[in-house]
Amino acid sequence: MFFHVWTLRGGGGVRVNRGVHSLPVVRWLVVLSQDKLRVSTKAVLRAEGLAKIFHSGSERVVVFEDLSFEVSSGEFVALVGESGSGKTTLLHLLAALDTPTRGEVYFEGKRLSEFPEDERALYRNEKIGFVWQMHYLLPEFSALENVVIPQLIGGRQFPDARTRARELLDEVGLGNALGRRVGELSGGEQQRVALARALANQPALLLADEPTGSLDHSTAQRVSDLLEGLHRSHHLTSVLATHNLDLAHRANRTLRLANGKLTETLVPMVP
Protein backbone atom coordinates (compact mmCIF):
# COMPACT_ATOMS: atom_id res chain seq x y z
CA MET A 1 0.00 0.00 0.00
CA PHE A 2 2.77 2.43 0.94
CA PHE A 3 4.76 1.64 -2.19
CA HIS A 4 1.62 2.12 -4.30
CA VAL A 5 1.13 5.58 -2.84
CA TRP A 6 4.71 6.70 -3.24
CA THR A 7 5.18 5.40 -6.76
CA LEU A 8 2.20 7.60 -7.58
CA ARG A 9 4.08 10.45 -5.89
CA GLY A 10 1.48 10.38 -3.17
CA GLY A 11 2.04 11.47 0.34
CA GLY A 12 1.40 15.09 1.14
CA GLY A 13 -0.68 17.25 3.28
CA VAL A 14 -2.75 20.25 3.91
CA ARG A 15 -1.97 23.36 5.84
CA VAL A 16 -3.75 23.90 9.16
CA ASN A 17 -4.16 26.96 11.34
CA ARG A 18 -4.49 27.06 15.10
CA GLY A 19 -8.14 27.69 15.84
CA VAL A 20 -10.42 26.99 18.76
CA HIS A 21 -8.04 24.69 20.63
CA SER A 22 -9.36 23.16 23.82
CA LEU A 23 -10.79 26.22 25.52
CA PRO A 24 -13.91 25.31 27.51
CA VAL A 25 -15.58 28.72 27.15
CA VAL A 26 -17.43 29.28 23.88
CA ARG A 27 -20.04 31.99 23.45
CA TRP A 28 -21.73 30.95 20.22
CA LEU A 29 -21.71 28.73 17.17
CA VAL A 30 -22.42 29.71 13.60
CA VAL A 31 -23.62 26.99 11.25
CA LEU A 32 -23.57 27.74 7.55
CA SER A 33 -25.42 25.69 4.96
CA GLN A 34 -23.85 24.35 1.77
CA ASP A 35 -24.62 27.44 -0.31
CA LYS A 36 -23.02 29.81 2.24
CA LEU A 37 -19.65 28.16 2.82
CA ARG A 38 -16.88 30.72 2.89
CA VAL A 39 -15.50 32.26 -0.25
CA SER A 40 -11.99 33.72 -0.19
CA THR A 41 -9.71 35.29 -2.74
CA LYS A 42 -6.74 33.51 -1.08
CA ALA A 43 -7.99 29.96 -1.39
CA VAL A 44 -5.24 27.35 -1.67
CA LEU A 45 -7.77 24.59 -2.23
CA ARG A 46 -11.22 24.95 -3.74
CA ALA A 47 -13.93 22.43 -4.59
CA GLU A 48 -16.78 23.27 -6.94
CA GLY A 49 -19.81 21.06 -7.40
CA LEU A 50 -18.03 17.86 -6.42
CA ALA A 51 -19.92 14.61 -6.83
CA LYS A 52 -18.78 11.02 -6.34
CA ILE A 53 -21.09 8.24 -7.49
CA PHE A 54 -20.33 4.55 -7.69
CA HIS A 55 -22.17 1.92 -9.70
CA SER A 56 -22.48 -1.70 -8.69
CA GLY A 57 -24.47 -3.55 -11.32
CA SER A 58 -27.73 -1.68 -11.59
CA GLU A 59 -27.28 0.00 -8.21
CA ARG A 60 -26.23 3.67 -8.10
CA VAL A 61 -24.49 4.68 -4.86
CA VAL A 62 -24.23 8.43 -4.30
CA VAL A 63 -21.50 9.28 -1.80
CA PHE A 64 -22.06 13.02 -2.14
CA GLU A 65 -23.20 15.55 -4.72
CA ASP A 66 -22.66 19.24 -5.36
CA LEU A 67 -20.08 19.91 -2.64
CA SER A 68 -18.45 23.35 -2.83
CA PHE A 69 -16.03 24.86 -0.31
CA GLU A 70 -12.66 26.57 0.02
CA VAL A 71 -9.61 26.23 2.25
CA SER A 72 -7.55 29.40 2.63
CA SER A 73 -3.82 29.59 3.13
CA GLY A 74 -2.84 28.73 6.69
CA GLU A 75 -6.21 27.35 7.75
CA PHE A 76 -6.73 24.34 10.00
CA VAL A 77 -9.99 22.72 8.87
CA ALA A 78 -11.57 19.67 10.52
CA LEU A 79 -13.78 17.39 8.41
CA VAL A 80 -16.22 15.43 10.56
CA GLY A 81 -19.09 13.04 9.95
CA GLU A 82 -20.26 9.50 10.56
CA SER A 83 -18.28 6.54 9.27
CA GLY A 84 -19.21 5.95 5.65
CA SER A 85 -20.25 9.57 5.06
CA GLY A 86 -17.55 10.08 2.43
CA LYS A 87 -14.77 11.87 4.33
CA THR A 88 -12.01 9.59 3.03
CA THR A 89 -13.39 9.76 -0.50
CA LEU A 90 -13.38 13.55 -0.34
CA LEU A 91 -9.78 13.64 0.89
CA HIS A 92 -8.77 11.36 -1.97
CA LEU A 93 -10.31 13.78 -4.46
CA LEU A 94 -8.46 16.71 -2.88
CA ALA A 95 -5.20 14.75 -3.06
CA ALA A 96 -5.72 13.72 -6.71
CA LEU A 97 -5.68 10.08 -5.66
CA ASP A 98 -9.12 9.73 -7.25
CA THR A 99 -11.24 11.72 -9.70
CA PRO A 100 -14.73 13.12 -9.11
CA THR A 101 -17.75 11.92 -11.05
CA ARG A 102 -18.59 15.58 -11.57
CA GLY A 103 -17.16 18.89 -10.41
CA GLU A 104 -13.69 20.34 -10.05
CA VAL A 105 -10.91 20.61 -7.48
CA TYR A 106 -8.62 23.64 -7.78
CA PHE A 107 -5.17 24.01 -6.25
CA GLU A 108 -3.89 27.59 -6.22
CA GLY A 109 -6.46 28.40 -8.89
CA LYS A 110 -5.51 25.52 -11.22
CA ARG A 111 -7.92 22.71 -12.11
CA LEU A 112 -6.58 19.31 -11.09
CA SER A 113 -8.58 17.76 -13.93
CA GLU A 114 -6.37 19.61 -16.42
CA PHE A 115 -3.12 18.30 -14.94
CA PRO A 116 -1.44 15.62 -17.08
CA GLU A 117 -0.53 12.50 -15.11
CA ASP A 118 3.07 13.56 -14.53
CA GLU A 119 1.89 16.90 -13.11
CA ARG A 120 -0.67 15.12 -10.90
CA ALA A 121 2.19 12.96 -9.62
CA LEU A 122 4.26 16.05 -8.82
CA TYR A 123 1.28 17.60 -7.05
CA ARG A 124 0.93 14.52 -4.82
CA ASN A 125 4.64 14.26 -4.15
CA GLU A 126 5.57 17.92 -3.68
CA LYS A 127 2.46 19.82 -2.63
CA ILE A 128 0.64 17.38 -0.35
CA GLY A 129 1.57 15.54 2.81
CA PHE A 130 -0.85 12.72 3.63
CA VAL A 131 -1.27 10.98 7.00
CA TRP A 132 -3.43 7.86 7.15
CA GLN A 133 -5.17 6.20 10.08
CA MET A 134 -2.94 3.20 9.49
CA HIS A 135 0.56 4.54 9.00
CA TYR A 136 1.51 2.33 6.00
CA LEU A 137 5.18 2.53 6.86
CA LEU A 138 7.68 0.00 5.52
CA PRO A 139 8.19 -2.23 8.59
CA GLU A 140 11.48 -3.75 7.42
CA PHE A 141 13.04 -0.30 7.06
CA SER A 142 14.19 2.06 9.79
CA ALA A 143 12.37 5.20 10.85
CA LEU A 144 15.05 7.26 9.09
CA GLU A 145 14.75 5.27 5.86
CA ASN A 146 10.96 5.65 5.82
CA VAL A 147 11.36 9.45 5.84
CA VAL A 148 14.22 9.41 3.32
CA ILE A 149 12.44 7.30 0.66
CA PRO A 150 9.76 9.81 -0.44
CA GLN A 151 12.44 12.48 -0.74
CA LEU A 152 14.52 10.28 -3.05
CA ILE A 153 11.44 9.66 -5.17
CA GLY A 154 11.00 13.42 -5.35
CA GLY A 155 14.54 13.84 -6.65
CA ARG A 156 16.41 15.01 -3.55
CA GLN A 157 19.97 13.82 -3.15
CA PHE A 158 20.56 11.24 -0.43
CA PRO A 159 22.76 13.36 1.90
CA ASP A 160 20.19 16.16 1.91
CA ALA A 161 17.31 13.70 2.32
CA ARG A 162 19.04 12.05 5.28
CA THR A 163 19.69 15.41 6.95
CA ARG A 164 16.07 16.51 6.58
CA ALA A 165 14.79 13.14 7.79
CA ARG A 166 16.91 13.41 10.92
CA GLU A 167 15.66 16.94 11.58
CA LEU A 168 12.01 15.93 11.17
CA LEU A 169 12.31 12.83 13.33
CA ASP A 170 14.01 14.89 16.02
CA GLU A 171 11.16 17.42 15.78
CA VAL A 172 8.54 14.71 16.40
CA GLY A 173 10.51 13.37 19.36
CA LEU A 174 12.17 10.37 17.72
CA GLY A 175 15.71 11.61 17.41
CA ASN A 176 16.87 8.62 19.46
CA ALA A 177 15.06 6.07 17.27
CA LEU A 178 16.47 6.87 13.82
CA GLY A 179 17.90 3.41 13.23
CA ARG A 180 15.10 1.35 14.73
CA ARG A 181 12.87 -0.62 12.39
CA VAL A 182 9.39 0.82 12.47
CA GLY A 183 7.96 -2.63 13.16
CA GLU A 184 9.65 -2.39 16.58
CA LEU A 185 8.05 0.96 17.45
CA SER A 186 4.83 1.57 19.38
CA GLY A 187 1.69 2.71 17.60
CA GLY A 188 2.18 6.31 18.69
CA GLU A 189 5.81 6.28 17.57
CA GLN A 190 4.84 4.84 14.20
CA GLN A 191 2.30 7.61 13.68
CA ARG A 192 4.96 10.18 14.53
CA VAL A 193 7.22 8.65 11.86
CA ALA A 194 4.27 8.93 9.47
CA LEU A 195 3.94 12.63 10.34
CA ALA A 196 7.63 13.19 9.64
CA ARG A 197 7.28 11.33 6.34
CA ALA A 198 4.28 13.50 5.36
CA LEU A 199 6.39 16.64 5.84
CA ALA A 200 9.50 15.27 4.15
CA ASN A 201 9.01 17.11 0.85
CA GLN A 202 7.91 20.38 2.49
CA PRO A 203 4.27 20.27 1.33
CA ALA A 204 1.93 23.22 1.26
CA LEU A 205 -1.05 21.07 2.24
CA LEU A 206 -1.40 18.52 5.00
CA LEU A 207 -4.25 16.05 4.54
CA ALA A 208 -4.91 13.61 7.35
CA ASP A 209 -7.47 10.80 7.48
CA GLU A 210 -8.29 9.83 11.09
CA PRO A 211 -4.68 10.34 12.20
CA THR A 212 -5.52 9.41 15.82
CA GLY A 213 -8.16 6.78 15.04
CA SER A 214 -6.06 3.74 15.94
CA LEU A 215 -4.45 5.23 19.05
CA ASP A 216 -5.41 5.10 22.73
CA HIS A 217 -6.67 8.29 24.35
CA SER A 218 -3.43 9.54 25.88
CA THR A 219 -1.39 8.77 22.77
CA ALA A 220 -4.06 10.40 20.59
CA GLN A 221 -3.79 13.52 22.76
CA ARG A 222 -0.02 13.69 22.24
CA VAL A 223 -0.36 13.18 18.49
CA SER A 224 -3.05 15.90 18.36
CA ASP A 225 -0.69 18.28 20.17
CA LEU A 226 2.01 17.39 17.67
CA LEU A 227 -0.25 17.90 14.66
CA GLU A 228 -1.28 21.32 15.90
CA GLY A 229 2.32 22.32 16.58
CA LEU A 230 3.57 21.10 13.19
CA HIS A 231 0.76 22.94 11.45
CA ARG A 232 1.99 26.18 12.96
CA SER A 233 5.75 25.64 12.80
CA HIS A 234 5.70 24.47 9.17
CA HIS A 235 3.18 27.12 8.05
CA LEU A 236 0.84 24.50 6.66
CA THR A 237 -2.68 24.55 5.35
CA SER A 238 -4.35 21.51 6.88
CA VAL A 239 -7.52 19.47 6.38
CA LEU A 240 -8.08 16.63 8.84
CA ALA A 241 -10.87 14.07 8.77
CA THR A 242 -11.49 12.94 12.33
CA HIS A 243 -13.88 11.52 14.90
CA ASN A 244 -11.64 12.91 17.65
CA LEU A 245 -13.53 15.85 19.16
CA ASP A 246 -10.44 17.24 20.88
CA LEU A 247 -8.61 17.37 17.56
CA ALA A 248 -11.63 18.84 15.75
CA HIS A 249 -11.99 21.56 18.40
CA ARG A 250 -8.44 22.74 17.67
CA ALA A 251 -9.46 23.71 14.14
CA ASN A 252 -10.74 27.17 13.33
CA ARG A 253 -13.40 25.69 11.05
CA THR A 254 -15.32 22.43 11.04
CA LEU A 255 -16.97 21.01 7.95
CA ARG A 256 -19.57 18.33 8.69
CA LEU A 257 -20.35 15.85 5.92
CA ALA A 258 -23.74 14.19 6.36
CA ASN A 259 -26.27 12.83 3.89
CA GLY A 260 -24.05 13.92 1.03
CA LYS A 261 -24.03 17.60 2.08
CA LEU A 262 -21.61 19.90 3.90
CA THR A 263 -22.35 22.32 6.70
CA GLU A 264 -19.79 24.59 8.29
CA THR A 265 -19.43 25.39 11.97
CA LEU A 266 -17.38 28.30 13.26
CA VAL A 267 -16.51 28.25 16.95
CA PRO A 268 -14.84 31.57 17.80
CA MET A 269 -12.43 31.87 20.68
CA VAL A 270 -13.39 34.12 23.56
CA PRO A 271 -10.55 36.43 24.61
Side-chain angles (χ1 to χ4, degrees):
M1 181 69 172
F2 176 81
F3 266 126
H4 174 68
V5 171
W6 281 109
T7 54
L8 287 175
R9 305 294 201 276
V14 180
R15 176 179 286 176
V16 177
N17 269 354
R18 188 180 181 97
V20 174
H21 316 295
S22 302
L23 292 182
V25 181
V26 175
R27 290 279 177 82
W28 45 270
L29 300 177
V30 176
V31 178
L32 301 177
S33 62
Q34 172 69 46
D35 60 349
K36 295 181 180 178
L37 296 189
R38 73 162 49 185
V39 175
S40 170
T41 58
K42 297 182 179 179
V44 172
L45 202 60
R46 179 161 58 95
E48 279 191 3
L50 282 187
K52 190 64 179 179
I53 302 170
F54 295 99
H55 292 87
S56 178
S58 60
E59 185 178 5
R60 181 173 180 267
V61 180
V62 178
V63 182
F64 47 72
E65 284 191 287
D66 197 29
L67 298 189
S68 298
F69 63 94
E70 293 185 348
V71 180
S72 297
S73 177
E75 277 199 287
F76 188 162
V77 177
L79 179 62
V80 302
E82 299 295 329
S83 296
S85 61
K87 300 187 302 297
T88 296
T89 299
L90 179 55
L91 287 181
H92 285 183
L93 298 184
L94 300 180
L97 292 170
D98 197 2
T99 56
T101 306
R102 290 191 303 275
E104 293 285 352
V105 175
Y106 296 81
F107 175 74
E108 296 182 341
K110 300 176 182 178
R111 296 173 185 250
L112 296 189
S113 63
E114 296 179 352
F115 286 11
E117 185 50 44
D118 60 344
E119 193 171 349
R120 290 170 67 86
L122 285 173
Y123 169 70
R124 291 188 291 258
N125 184 249
E126 297 178 357
K127 301 299 184 182
I128 294 178
F130 212 114
V131 181
W132 312 87
Q133 178 175 348
M134 300 302 295
H135 50 75
Y136 295 119
L137 298 168
L138 301 174
E140 66 273 25
F141 288 84
S142 69
L144 184 71
E145 289 165 336
N146 270 271
V147 183
V148 164
I149 288 171
Q151 298 180 73
L152 299 181
I153 292 172
R156 184 169 288 167
Q157 295 299 307
F158 177 74
D160 293 336
R162 181 176 56 189
T163 297
R164 178 157 178 81
R166 284 174 170 168
E167 291 172 349
L168 287 169
L169 287 167
D170 185 62
E171 186 174 3
V172 300
L174 292 175
N176 61 348
L178 303 180
R180 292 177 61 189
R181 291 186 179 184
V182 296
E184 301 171 352
L185 301 177
S186 68
E189 289 171 329
Q190 290 171 339
Q191 197 64 310
R192 282 188 276 160
V193 175
L195 281 169
R197 180 187 64 189
L199 300 178
N201 286 330
Q202 298 172 290
L205 294 173
L206 177 63
L207 299 176
D209 188 11
E210 297 289 356
T212 63
S214 61
L215 306 176
D216 63 70
H217 177 75
S218 61
T219 304
Q221 179 72 39
R222 290 194 294 271
V223 170
S224 295
D225 292 342
L226 185 58
L227 276 164
E228 185 179 18
L230 292 172
H231 168 78
R232 298 166 60 203
S233 63
H234 288 261
H235 309 291
L236 295 168
T237 298
S238 305
V239 178
L240 283 68
T242 184
H243 286 103
N244 184 325
L245 293 180
D246 174 71
L247 181 55
H249 287 165
R250 296 166 187 253
N252 56 294
R253 280 203 296 150
T254 298
L255 299 178
R256 178 172 295 278
L257 183 56
N259 301 315
K261 300 296 181 183
L262 278 175
T263 56
E264 177 178 2
T265 302
L266 306 177
V267 189
M269 290 179 62
V270 176

